[in-house]
Amino acid sequence: MGNSFEVQDRFAAGAQYIGGRLRPGTSGRSHDVVDPATGDTVYTYELAGTADVDAAVAAAREAFPGWSGATPAERSEAMHRFAAVLAEQADDFAYAESLQCGKPVKLSTGFDVPGTVDNTSFFAGAARHLEGKSAAEYDGDHTSYVRREAIGVIGSIAPWNYPLQMAAWKILPAVAAGNTIVLKPAEITPLTSLMFAQAATRAGIPDGVINIVTGTGKDAGEHLVGHPDVVMTSFTGSTAVGKRVAEIATSTVKRLHLELGGKAPFVVFDDADLEAAVNGAVAGSLINTGQDCTAATRAYVQRPLYDAFVQGVAALMETVRVGDPFDPKTDLGPLISHAQRDRVASFVERARAYATVVTGGEAPGGELADGAYYRPTLVAGAAQDSEIVQSEIFGPVLVVLPFDTDDEGIALANDTPYGLAASAWSRDLYRANRATREIKAGCVWINDHIPIISEMPHGGYKASGFGKDMSSYSFEEYTQVKHVMYDNTAVARKDWHRTIFGDR
């Protein structure tokens, strides 16, 4: 894939998209977008300040009456056009996503971009299917029904690991339900979020419905979350930052949706298809260079399969091709930054004191030395309470531990603060069903790990947050449920009035 556009030229007007146009930030500070595969700067822009957030919220507030007042069919038609524009620009989106993130182009073209187009198409249809209880006379004298109404201006914050998809997950259900939105993408990966908003404008979605402010979390993010005209905050990111977001949001009594960290278990029972489990573990742990909150990070393997699993995973990891993200043969690109690469490496180095690094555990040299690369890594022999088992690493590192009984395997799977995703591997229907019931996670896969679909919800348990992205369940986050009740008796004095008027 060649350079389909010059980033600096495309975003010369700035990295803030407010009221339907690009503009520069007003913080007085600039920021570089860096290609993590080379360390080269690809775009420099002015960061958003609080004035930019205020302007974006004002634009969203101004657009809200018109957009929320549009018919579901009108919103749906606009979003269908939006999906078509995204599909037309698929190559540009894939190029920009791989450039700013270091994603292998086969991931951005095969997963990120088509997934986003599909999400947009799904919510275009879902806009016409906001559900509530049917009208009925529950007490005999009144007719009740439920309305779902847009709630206002949404202030959302998205992470750097899937910038395009996370922008879509935040924006689409909100606007399908009739809300307007201000999204703050991660300042290191703003390009595809800006392109997404531009595509919406091209599709005819009114100015101000979708706004992007690109700034730091401390300045733009906190001001957005605390803004008095923002009625809801949706945040995806680390649990630590999520706690800070919650503090600010709850102080202003905002609705809150949090999708936070994960430490997904990968439980292999002794009747599992070993080849399938080995392949699933490598793919599930290395997708997006392991920078995925649902990635397989803790493999628990029942003892009869343990040794063969370790050998199989190590051998397959050693065949994974690490290299240039724009080479279609590349399997694994760099991490998002050198700082993140060094953080991942530090976890592995500390683990050497109490565990065995079976394969990987190093950054490649040679022609990849300038990038933020790290080899696929398998760690064995760590204790359940060790740092590498309990903490979110967010890199291409899988730790494997044995277990003996089914009870033990499920208990170990649940033994972290997180509960976002998990998988269980077994040919036994009853074992598999037990795992789906007893593993405490928002998604449990059986004999696979990672696939997501627009029709099904994504969200966690415990320290992984609450609320759902994607699916019609996401409308629970982005709509206000209103009970409407009509009197059917036309009687001036109701029977219940006796509680006030007595027997008069």
Side-chain angles (χ1 to χ4, degrees):
M1 178 179 290
N3 187 338
S4 53
F5 60 86
E6 290 295 332
V7 173
Q8 199 73 45
D9 292 341
R10 177 145 183 172
F11 301 110
Q16 318 304 324
Y17 195 76
I18 299 172
R21 66 181 181 89
L22 289 170
R23 52 191 263 184
T26 62
S27 70
R29 293 179 291 120
S30 63
H31 189 80
D32 294 333
V33 176
V34 175
D35 176 356
T38 63
D40 295 338
T41 295
V42 298
Y43 179 52
T44 301
Y45 67 94
E46 297 299 314
L47 287 161
T50 56
D52 303 302
V53 174
D54 290 341
V57 172
R61 187 177 181 185
E62 182 178 355
F64 177 74
W67 183 247
S68 63
T71 67
E74 289 168 337
R75 289 198 296 269
S76 177
E77 289 167 6
M79 293 182 72
H80 277 300
R81 294 193 301 269
F82 188 11
V85 171
L86 294 172
E88 290 170 6
Q89 299 178 354
D91 286 347
D92 281 358
F93 274 100
Y95 171 77
E97 194 77 339
S98 288
L99 183 67
Q100 67 182 352
C101 298
K103 292 175 186 285
V105 70
K106 67 179 182 180
L107 179 63
S108 58
T109 58
F111 184 74
D112 298 71
V113 175
T116 300
V117 174
D118 185 71
N119 283 172
T120 309
S121 295
F122 171 82
F123 279 107
R128 302 182 75 157
H129 296 282
L130 291 174
E131 296 179 348
K133 277 192 175 182
S134 299
E137 289 70 47
Y138 292 98
D139 70 352
D141 290 339
H142 302 83
T143 297
S144 289
Y145 68 89
V146 168
R147 290 177 55 90
R148 281 193 181 274
E149 297 179 348
I151 58 177
V153 177
I154 313 299
S156 292
I157 299 175
W160 48 256
N161 58 333
Y162 289 102
L164 176 59
Q165 290 214 87
M166 293 297 100
W169 287 15
K170 299 302 181 196
I171 290 169
L172 295 172
V175 300
N179 301 288
T180 56
I181 190 167
V182 179
L183 174 76
K184 191 200 87 66
E187 63 270 26
I188 60 176
T189 55
L191 304 181
T192 48
S193 297
L194 294 166
M195 293 167 63
F196 192 73
Q198 289 177 308
T201 298
R202 182 180 166 190
I205 292 177
D207 294 348
V209 172
I210 299 172
N211 306 275
I212 309 293
V213 290
T214 310
T216 66
K218 185 66 176 175
D219 295 333
E222 292 199 1
H223 190 64
L224 178 62
V225 174
H227 199 289
D229 291 333
V230 169
V231 298
M232 173 185 162
T233 291
S234 177
F235 170 81
T236 296
S238 71
T239 298
V241 178
K243 291 177 180 178
R244 175 61 180 156
V245 170
E247 289 174 0
I248 299 170
T250 54
S251 69
T252 53
V253 199
K254 284 181 173 55
R255 185 177 296 194
L256 184 61
H257 168 211
L258 298 174
E259 199 265 274
L260 307 176
K263 190 70 176 176
F266 186 102
V267 182
V268 182
F269 294 103
D270 58 14
D271 67 330
D273 181 328
L274 179 62
E275 182 183 8
V278 166
N279 281 274
V282 174
S285 63
L286 299 185
I287 187 170
N288 203 35
T289 319
Q291 298 168 126
D292 186 313
C293 49
T294 64
T297 59
R298 300 178 289 137
Y300 296 103
V301 183
Q302 207 150 25
R303 208 169 292 274
L305 295 185
Y306 178 78
D307 289 340
F309 180 88
V310 171
Q311 292 168 10
V313 168
L316 189 54
M317 277 187 169
E318 288 166 6
T319 71
V320 170
R321 297 165 297 191
V322 181
D324 177 4
F326 290 102
D327 182 340
K329 294 181 179 179
T330 292
D331 300 317
L332 198 76
L335 288 125
I336 190 66
S337 66
H338 288 81
Q340 179 65 12
R341 190 269 312 275
D342 294 345
R343 179 181 179 275
V344 170
S346 70
F347 274 99
V348 177
E349 291 308 305
R350 289 191 295 271
R352 292 183 192 276
Y354 55 80
T356 300
V357 178
V358 180
T359 190
E362 62 181 4
E367 62 184 15
L368 301 180
D370 291 337
Y373 291 93
Y374 198 74
R375 293 196 185 283
T377 300
L378 179 65
V379 177
Q384 173 66 13
D385 62 356
S386 62
E387 176 192 51
I388 205 162
V389 174
Q390 293 291 325
S391 298
E392 187 173 32
I393 300 171
F394 230 55
V397 179
L398 176 66
V399 57
V400 57
L401 298 87
F403 70 91
D404 292 303
T405 67
D406 289 16
D407 288 350
E408 181 188 10
I410 291 174
L412 290 169
N414 286 329
D415 185 28
T416 71
Y418 301 106
L420 186 58
S423 65
W425 298 72
S426 173
R427 292 184 173 97
D428 186 310
L429 175 64
Y430 297 99
R431 261 181 165 172
N433 277 340
R434 180 188 178 191
T436 65
R437 292 193 306 271
E438 296 187 14
I439 293 177
K440 304 304 181 187
C443 175
V444 180
W445 293 284
I446 299 298
N447 296 326
D448 208 344
H449 194 108
I450 284 299
I452 55 174
I453 51 176
S454 297
E455 292 83 358
M456 287 291 112
H458 177 86
Y461 286 29
K462 302 189 292 185
S464 291
F466 49 82
K468 300 299 179 184
D469 288 314
M470 297 200 300
S471 82
S472 296
Y473 291 96
S474 64
F475 288 133
E476 301 293 337
E477 316 301 320
Y478 295 102
T479 56
Q480 185 70 264
V481 174
K482 178 186 288 184
H483 170 215
V484 178
M485 178 179 267
Y486 286 91
D487 170 59
N488 293 326
T489 67
V491 173
R493 181 169 291 190
K494 317 297 185 190
D495 181 60
W496 71 267
H497 291 178
R498 69 184 185 279
T499 63
I500 304 300
F501 304 135
D503 56 1
R504 286 175 290 160

